[in-house]
Structures are given as C-alpha cells and as structure tokens.
Amino acid sequence: MVKLRDIWQTLYPYGVFRTGKAVYLTFDDGPIPEVTPKVLAILAQYKVKATFFMVGENVDKHPEVYEQVVKAGHRIGNHTYNHLKGWHCTTAIYLGNVEQCQERIGDTNLFRPPYGKATWLQRRMLHLMGYKLIYWDILTRDYDKHVTPEQMLRLIQRETREGSIINFHDSLKSNERMLEVLPKAIEWLQKEGYELATL
C-alpha cells in the first residue's frame, strides 16, 4: 500500500517529512513576545527541547525573545525574512529573503518554507546551498479557528509515529489553541514513551 507521506517524499525529494526514531516538536513564525515565552515555559516545565523556525523580521523586532529561545537550548531554523510564499516570487527574490533571515539567526542549516510552498527550483537551490528542508508529517492546524484543541490532540494521538515532525505555530493566530494543546500533547507523548528531541 502506498502511503501519502511516501508520495510527498517523491514529489519533494529535497524535503524531510519524518526522520529518526524520536518525535520532533516544531514551531513556526516566531519569535513573538506574546506567545513564544509561554511556549518556552511549557517546554521547560516538561524538560523538552524543540525546534523553532523563525521569521527574520520578527527576530529584528524582538531580539530579546530570540535570545530567550537560544539560551534555553532550543534549535533554530530559517523561515525566510518576510514569511514569503515561494510560488509567488522569483527564485532570486526567495533565496535573497532566506539569506536575509540567515544573517539574523546565525548558523543553521535547517529551513522550512512558509506554507510549505516553494518551487522545485527554489528547493533544489536551497539544497545545493546546504540547507536541510524540513516539512512535517503532522500539521496541527492550530492557526485554524475552525479546528478545536480536542481535534488537534486527537490528530497527534492518531498520527504520531517514531520520526514524526509535529508542526505548531508560536503566533498570535494560533496562541490560545496551541497553548491549550501543547502540554496535553507533551504529556501524552511522554506517557507513550516517545523521545522528544530537536532536529
């Protein structure tokens, strides 16, 4: 039987959707002072490290929050400077935006395309530039007001496997739903015996 993730892996040969034996909590779109420190507090409570895919513009606006994430020992990834959708701009503009973010966040080889969207050429060029393109196999949709925290948690419980990459957002749009689900998800994952690690 062909699984959906295998199809995606074929369509996105430079992307990682699942990896290793641990489970990886990831957060997109920060750092945001109203949200990111709350995420850090929850992660610290459960002694968990995560990977934060940061928008360079937000790092410029909130450098102190960025430093909190770094000092807490979490992994940083590149999420472009302006949260660009690759399909809506040229490869030159897209790669320039990625590099602009890279100047703000320092040395990382992790990159996640905003919206999960980048053209084949953009993905190939990023691969040749040394970036590891990280997607996910569990999208919580915490940004969608029509998705309840209960539905998010059930999705995580149903779909998580060794190597799963779980996508959350430390953004204002996701704030309430994400913060309600995150501790419950961590408790369930730890109870099930999953190791939680950074990418």
Side-chain angles (χ1 to χ4, degrees), residues 34-77:
E34 298 87 347
V35 184
T36 308
K38 296 175 183 176
V39 173
L40 294 177
I42 292 171
L43 296 175
Q45 177 185 346
Y46 292 97
K47 298 180 173 58
V48 170
K49 300 299 182 189
T51 305
F52 289 77
F53 290 91
M54 295 192 170
V55 174
E57 187 176 30
N58 287 338
V59 174
D60 274 347
K61 289 178 182 175
H62 313 294
E64 70 289 349
V65 184
Y66 165 75
E67 289 298 333
Q68 288 177 31
V69 178
V70 172
K71 287 179 181 175
H74 300 287
R75 187 89 189 268
I76 305 298

Side-chain angles (χ1 to χ4, degrees), residues 77-113:
N78 187 320
H79 203 45
T80 75
Y81 186 82
N82 296 112
H83 203 261
L84 287 188
K85 188 179 291 185
W87 291 358
H88 291 180
C89 62
T90 67
T91 296
I93 288 174
Y94 194 73
L95 297 179
N97 207 264
V98 171
E99 288 299 283
Q100 188 178 2
C101 179
Q102 194 74 358
E103 291 171 5
R104 303 305 187 274
I105 63 175
D107 186 25
T108 181
N109 69 334
L110 301 181
F111 176 76
R112 174 173 283 165

Side-chain angles (χ1 to χ4, degrees), residues 8 11-12 15-17 28-29 53 78-80 83-88 94 111-120 122-123 126 133-136 139 143 167 169:
W8 281 113
L11 294 174
Y12 290 79
V16 176
F17 293 83
D28 292 1
D29 299 351
F53 290 91
N78 187 320
H79 203 45
T80 75
H83 203 261
L84 287 188
K85 188 179 291 185
W87 291 358
H88 291 180
Y94 194 73
F111 176 76
R112 174 173 283 165
Y115 312 100
K117 294 184 177 181
T119 67
W120 181 88
Q122 290 162 357
R123 287 183 277 115
L126 288 164
L133 276 67
I134 306 295
Y135 289 86
W136 55 83
L139 178 63
Y143 51 80
N167 178 279
H169 296 77

